[in-house]
């Protein structure tokens, strides 16, 4: 079976209006830049996007927001994004905010065949409203359900043609669990190699979770908060 | 009275050798600058780092290496990288010995509110709800009053909660306090601050022992 696609335009075929997508990344770190650009060009609308953040105005998922292609965002922190704020306050955009650890675990559970789990995060707060509460070891926990997506779109540093993935530094973040939770997972990689060229001991996502893979191009890798310390004299 | 740096310095005195520590955004981040000499403390960043180092020098920044505040950072020798679910397994599983975070309000029962102001833009809770729900040792770093002088240490939080009955210790610009038995217990005064000033800046129940030492920085 061939998992290799020539480019993002081909790899996103099958994504249609109204679908739910998981999009990897933390802030602008480790986001699937090529696939997002292809989604913008495709004009596909009414998307539900599950992603820790929502990009910035002119980069990342912010590009899809500008184009009014997202109907609902499911995130933990939506940050500094004016267009997002405008759409949210005007009611054009639905937003579901989820504690970051619960978001990660709900993706992992979705990929791991665990329909729901109990967590203490959010107990006693408004996000617990309507959720089942159970006490373990004297401490209340709330029931959170697993999440899956029609397509999960992730970005890795290296990948092989069988779909095995390796990430670099903190660009790993949500990419790993989201790769597990897509009915179809698309991985874009900076470097696509042949089987055997990645050390099996250092694979982060085994290829079984990845259905489509392509080598991305022209990564901008924008830095959101360039923070430096002064050079010693 | 302490400034933000002073609050960070005082919190740094709470660190212990060998601890794994998660620092929130703002004042808590500054704590990393004041780790006592000779002490080994590893900082966790919830986007997937244990062993986070200082900010990089110009030209050494890497877009693939950021902290939870999306700032460029470096790795200490011996650092480890992991994915988001592993990161919160460390947090939820109580493997982190200390969590330091900011707050908009704290109640005398240890409730904390720091993620949402109704009517204003809601940016989200990020990892704060997971952190406060699981950590056994939480220190809140905050200014004790708002810009109008209103106390942020209350009988009950007025803002939407981030977590309930979780805060054990607070370091403010005026004082160090412990929360237990439904009250703020005054432990130390900031340099030059009187018990009376602290009392005026505490809307919740305040327990003051006979002798309140001034903190040493």
């Amino acid at each position: 079976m061939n998992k290799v696609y020539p480019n993002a335009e081909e790899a996103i075929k099958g994504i249609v209006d109204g679908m739910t997508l998981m999009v990897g990344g933390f802030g602008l770190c480790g986001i699937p830049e090529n696939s997002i650009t292809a989604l913008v060009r495709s004009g596909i609308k009414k998307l539900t996007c599950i992603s820790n953040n929502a990009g910035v105005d002119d980069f990342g998922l912010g590009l899809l927001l500008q184009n009014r292609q997202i109907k609902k965002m499911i995130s933990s922190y939506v940050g500094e994004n004016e267009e997002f704020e405008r759409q949210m306050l005007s009611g054009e955009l639905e937003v579901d905010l989820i504690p970051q650890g619960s978001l990660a675990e709900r993706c992992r559970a979705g990929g791991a065949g665990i329909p729901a789990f109990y967590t203490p995060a959010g107990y006693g707060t408004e996000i617990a409203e309507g959720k089942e509460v159970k006490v373990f070891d004297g401490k209340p926990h709330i029931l959170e359900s697993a999440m899956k997506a029609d397509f999960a779109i992730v970005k890795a540093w290296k990948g092989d043609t069988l779909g095995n993935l390796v990430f670099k530094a903190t660009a790993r973040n949500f990419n790993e669990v989201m790769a597990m939770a897509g009915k179809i997972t698309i991985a874009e990689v900076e470097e696509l190699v042949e089987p055997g060229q990645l050390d099996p001991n250092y694979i982060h996502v085994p290829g079984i979770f990845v259905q489509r893979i392509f080598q991305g191009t022209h990564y901008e890798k924008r830095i959101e908060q360039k923070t430096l310390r002064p050079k010693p004299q | 009275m302490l400034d933000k740096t002073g609050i960070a310095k005082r919190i740094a005195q709470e660190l212990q050798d060998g601890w794994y520590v998660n620092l929130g955004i703002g004042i808590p981040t500054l704590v990393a600058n004041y780790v006592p000499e000779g002490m080994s403390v590893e900082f966790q960043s919830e986007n997937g780092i244990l062993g986070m180092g200082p900010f990089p020098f110009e030209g050494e920044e890497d877009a693939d290496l950021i902290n939870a505040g999306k700032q460029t950072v470096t790795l200490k020798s011996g650092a480890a990288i992991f994915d988001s679910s592993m990161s919160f397994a460390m947090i939820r599983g109580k493997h982190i010995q200390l969590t330091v975070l900011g707050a908009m309000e704290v109640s005398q029962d240890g409730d904390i509110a720091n993620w949402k102001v109704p009517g204003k833009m809601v940016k989200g809770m990020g990892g704060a709800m997971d952190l406060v729900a699981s950590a056994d040792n939480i220190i809140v770093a905050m200014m004790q009053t708002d810009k109008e002088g209103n106390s942020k240490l209350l009988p009950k939080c007025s803002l939407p909660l981030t977590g309930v009955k979780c805060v054990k210790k607070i370091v403010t610009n005026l004082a160090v306090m412990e929360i237990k038995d439904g009250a703020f217990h005054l432990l130390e005064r900031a340099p030059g601050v009187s018990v009376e000033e602290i009392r005026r800046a505490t809307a919740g129940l305040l327990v003051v022992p006979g002798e309140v030492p001034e903190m040493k920085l």
Side-chain angles (χ1 to χ4, degrees), chain A residues 137-205:
Chain A
D137 292 331
K139 184 170 172 164
H141 292 69
I142 61 175
L143 187 67
E144 292 280 11
S145 58
M147 291 200 290
K148 288 186 81 78
D150 296 306
F151 280 80
I153 307 174
V154 303
K155 148 82 178 33
W157 179 32
K158 293 179 184 179
D160 69 19
T161 56
L162 296 175
N164 295 304
L165 303 178
V166 175
F167 302 98
K168 182 176 157 235
T170 57
R172 193 155 153 194
N173 56 60
F174 280 82
N175 282 299
E176 198 169 310
V177 284
M178 287 183 172
M180 295 168 66
K183 288 175 194 157
I184 296 175
T185 291
I186 303 168
E188 59 173 86
V189 297
E190 288 178 55
E191 192 183 345
L192 184 62
V193 301
E194 291 301 316
Q197 290 185 259
L198 299 175
D199 185 335
N201 292 299
Y202 293 93
I203 301 289
H204 295 131
V205 171

Side-chain angles (χ1 to χ4, degrees), chain A residues 78 100 126 139 221 227 229, chain B residues 55-56 64 72 116 123 126 133:
Chain A
V78 292
Q100 196 174 122
E126 63 182 48
K139 184 170 172 164
K221 292 198 182 183
T227 312
R229 67 182 147 144
Chain B
F55 297 128
D64 289 327
T72 46
K116 182 176 182 180
K123 291 182 172 173

Side-chain angles (χ1 to χ4, degrees), chain A residues 9 16 35 57 69 88 98 125 170 206:
Chain A
E9 283 68 31
V16 297
S35 301
D57 276 315
Q69 289 173 269
M88 180 171 163
I98 297 176
T125 75
T170 57

Side-chain angles (χ1 to χ4, degrees), chain B residues 1 25 42 55-56 60 67 70 74 79 82 106 121 123 141 148 150 161 167 169 176 184 191 208:
Chain B
M1 192 184 299
I25 293 163
E42 299 293 343
F55 297 128
E60 288 175 356
N67 64 16
K70 287 133 192 165
T74 57
F82 36 85
V106 175
M121 171 63 185
K123 291 182 172 173
E148 285 79 44
N150 302 306
L161 296 179
V167 179
K169 203 168 224 184
V176 180
F184 298 101
V208 182

Side-chain angles (χ1 to χ4, degrees), chain B residues 25-214:
Chain B
I25 293 163
I27 303 173
T29 306
L30 301 173
V31 174
N33 299 332
Y34 304 104
V35 178
E37 196 77 29
M39 190 177 280
S40 160
V41 173
E42 299 293 343
F43 292 104
Q44 198 245 22
S45 187
E46 63 265 28
N47 60 318
I49 308 174
L50 260 189
M52 181 167 53
F55 297 128
F57 294 122
E58 175 85 51
E60 288 175 356
E61 67 276 14
D62 178 354
D64 289 327
L65 185 54
I66 62 169
N67 64 16
K70 287 133 192 165
Q71 297 169 308
T72 46
V73 289
T74 57
L75 298 178
K76 277 171 62 181
S77 171
I81 295 282
F82 36 85
D83 78 279
S84 297
S85 74
M86 175 70 86
S87 179
F88 283 91
M90 293 173 190
I91 291 166
R92 225 185 282 105
K94 300 180 184 291
H95 304 282
I96 306 278
Q97 277 80 26
L98 173 65
T99 293
V100 184
L101 75 177
M104 297 192 271
E105 294 177 348
V106 175
S107 85
Q108 63 196 29
D109 291 312
D111 297 351
I112 177 171
N114 71 354
W115 76 284
K116 182 176 182 180
V117 179
K120 288 198 182 164
M121 171 63 185
V122 181
K123 291 182 172 173
M125 68 292 282
M129 283 191 182
D130 309 88
L131 281 159
V132 301
S134 295
D136 283 330
N137 190 12
I138 300 174
I139 298 179
V140 167
M142 68 193 294
M143 293 299 176
Q144 195 159 328
T145 54
D146 64 18
K147 291 193 180 88
E148 285 79 44
N150 302 306
S151 175
K152 299 198 278 188
L153 304 184
L154 307 170
K156 267 197 166 350
C157 293
S158 64
L159 296 169
L161 296 179
T162 308
V164 294
K165 295 185 172 58
C166 51
V167 179
K168 304 274 182 1
K169 203 168 224 184
I170 308 172
V171 178
T172 75
N173 51 326
L174 304 180
V176 180
M177 295 182 192
E178 189 182 10
I179 297 179
K180 61 179 184 192
D181 308 326
F184 298 101
H185 292 252
L186 184 56
L187 299 181
E188 295 173 23
R189 296 172 291 115
V193 175
S194 70
V195 169
E196 212 30 59
E197 283 173 83
I198 295 164
R199 212 186 278 281
R200 275 200 303 274
T202 309
L205 191 59
L206 181 69
V207 176
V208 182
E211 191 83 359
V212 184
E214 190 171 284

Side-chain angles (χ1 to χ4, degrees), chain A residues 120-133:
Chain A
Y123 170 77
T125 75
E126 63 182 48
I127 72 125
E129 284 166 21
K131 288 175 184 161
E132 188 189 320
V133 174

